[in-house]
Amino acid sequence: MEETTFIMIKPDGVQRRLVAPIIARFENRGLTLVAIKMVNTSEALIDQHYAELVNKPFYPGLKQYMLSGPVIAMVWKGKAAAALGRAIVGATNPKESAPGTIRGDFCNDVGRNVIHASDSVESAKREIALWFKPEELVHYVPCDLGWVYENVS
């Protein structure tokens, strides 16, 4: 079943010029990019995005970090996109991320972990709605789907 997921390259990923290599990781796994934009975030948007973390002691530092520069907000589509996106990204703590994952290859510190990925289909729906209007999502069928997935007509 195809689903969508939300992926965000955080300010450190943008500043370190990792946007193209990160996008390539998702494309190489067969996911389809359906929306992308560079955004200077607002406090309100970050508070909504991280609503479940607002009362945590580390949140002020996270918020300051997320407001420190632009981010790349993206929506990706594909079979089990949310789970696959999390697998591509790796564990939240880069020290626990396997080599070959984005965090395992590009990060050293949890406070500079380069990327966010929705942790479930439900979270993805909420996050996509926060960052994108429905008309910003592009609907198309890539010509290579039969080479990425079995039983595609």
Side-chain angles (χ1 to χ4, degrees), residues 60-153:
L62 171 62
K63 184 175 179 176
Q64 181 182 9
Y65 157 62
M66 292 303 298
L67 293 170
S68 69
V71 301
I72 305 292
M74 299 176 283
V75 179
W76 292 89
K77 180 175 77 170
K79 287 187 180 177
L84 182 56
R86 292 291 288 193
I88 294 167
V89 165
T92 301
N93 185 340
K95 290 174 181 66
E96 299 167 2
S97 290
T101 65
I102 291 169
R103 289 180 177 147
D105 290 350
F106 297 128
C107 307
N108 292 308
D109 208 3
V110 72
R112 296 293 181 268
N113 67 5
V114 175
I115 193 163
H116 165 85
S118 298
D119 62 5
S120 67
V121 174
E122 296 76 29
S123 292
K125 287 178 184 174
R126 183 184 73 80
E127 292 169 354
I128 291 167
L130 276 175
W131 292 84
F132 291 93
K133 298 173 188 160
E135 61 270 18
E136 292 178 302
L137 305 179
V138 178
H139 301 282
Y140 67 102
V141 179
C143 62
D144 67 350
L145 279 187
W147 296 105
V148 175
Y149 301 114
E150 291 180 305
N151 304 319
V152 175
S153 50

Side-chain angles (χ1 to χ4, degrees), residues 19-31 76 88 99-106:
V19 174
I22 288 172
I23 288 173
R25 302 269 181 126
F26 293 92
E27 289 183 326
N28 291 342
R29 289 297 301 268
L31 293 176
W76 292 89
I88 294 167
T101 65
I102 291 169
R103 289 180 177 147
D105 290 350
F106 297 128

Side-chain angles (χ1 to χ4, degrees), residues 41-69:
T41 58
S42 67
E43 287 191 41
L45 181 56
I46 293 303
D47 288 344
Q48 288 178 292
H49 180 83
Y50 289 113
E52 70 282 358
L53 303 177
V54 169
N55 294 319
K56 301 283 186 183
F58 61 83
Y59 185 70
L62 171 62
K63 184 175 179 176
Q64 181 182 9
Y65 157 62
M66 292 303 298
L67 293 170
S68 69

